Amino acid sequence: IIACGLTCADLDEDFEDALRLNGTLRDLRLCHNRISGTLPRSLAAHLIGGVAESRSNIREIVLTFNQIDDVNAIGEALLLRAKRNTSDSGGGGISGGEAGAALTSSSSSLGSSSPPLCQLWVNHNCITDAGIRVLVEALRTNGGLKRLDVWNNNLSSRCISELERIAQGRPALTIWG
């Protein structure tokens, strides 16, 4: 899906339902739109496959050139998905804390058959350190993400340094910032 001219109001329940029911979509590009503010939790959960009824096979999400200032919902969905996949495989699970709890009310068990999100492009937005905090935490525990592009946002050098430290510990992860 490539869409232009969208606003947050366009990312409604119908849009989420289409994502939830579509098991063949691999790339979602919502660049050069007027999406602003915080990315909705329910949308992120469907994009990442953080809810059981989602058949998400999305491997690449491109949200560049918008006015998004908070992508923590994506981090929450990644944490919840990792926790559910670990639980489904018999492991002890990870502690998702408040991030995982934010989505558990609308979720049940998620099978590990959905492929992980591999690329997330959120460059050229308005993301701040606070708006990426949970995503940074998810990167510590989620091995599926291979590329994260956060270039040209409002991130501090301290936040960029933290992302670089995470990438050094995961050679398969490339972070552009």
Side-chain angles (χ1 to χ4, degrees):
I1 291 179
I2 298 176
C4 294
L6 296 176
T7 65
C8 279
D10 296 316
L11 305 179
D12 59 9
E13 288 181 23
D14 291 336
F15 186 82
E16 289 179 21
D17 285 344
L19 289 174
R20 179 177 52 83
L21 298 172
N22 188 325
T24 59
L25 185 64
R26 298 290 184 267
D27 300 331
L28 179 65
R29 299 174 188 275
L30 300 176
C31 41
H32 294 278
N33 285 285
R34 294 183 307 269
I35 302 169
S36 61
T38 300
L39 197 65
R41 280 189 167 91
S42 56
L43 174 63
H46 288 301
L47 290 174
I48 309 301
V51 293
E53 65 271 13
S54 176
R55 290 189 274 166
S56 177
N57 286 311
I58 296 176
R59 311 264 303 164
E60 180 177 2
I61 299 174
V62 182
L63 298 169
T64 59
F65 292 96
N66 284 287
Q67 292 95 36
I68 299 168
D69 60 17
D70 187 329
V71 291
N72 281 319
I74 292 175
E76 292 171 357
L78 287 171
L79 284 169
L80 184 61
R81 181 186 173 122
K83 182 176 182 180
R84 292 195 186 289
N85 284 344
T86 302
S87 296
D88 289 348
S89 65
I94 63 166
S95 175
E98 64 186 52
L103 295 173
T104 53
S105 62
S106 64
S107 306
S108 59
S109 182
L110 171 69
S112 57
S113 60
S114 297
L117 176 68
C118 292
Q119 297 187 47
L120 177 60
W121 302 62
V122 291
N123 54 305
H124 291 87
N125 277 286
C126 307
I127 301 168
T128 63
D129 291 6
I132 199 169
R133 178 184 53 81
V134 178
L135 182 57
V136 170
E137 181 61 34
L139 289 175
R140 291 187 180 101
T141 59
N142 185 296
L145 197 62
K146 305 295 183 217
R147 178 186 173 118
L148 173 63
D149 191 338
V150 294
W151 186 73
N152 202 5
N153 276 287
N154 298 326
L155 300 175
S156 69
S157 58
R158 180 175 171 222
C159 184
I160 297 297
S161 294
E162 178 64 19
L163 289 168
E164 289 170 349
R165 275 193 295 279
I166 292 169
Q168 286 174 353
R170 292 192 31 218
L173 174 63
T174 302
I175 297 178
W176 292 41

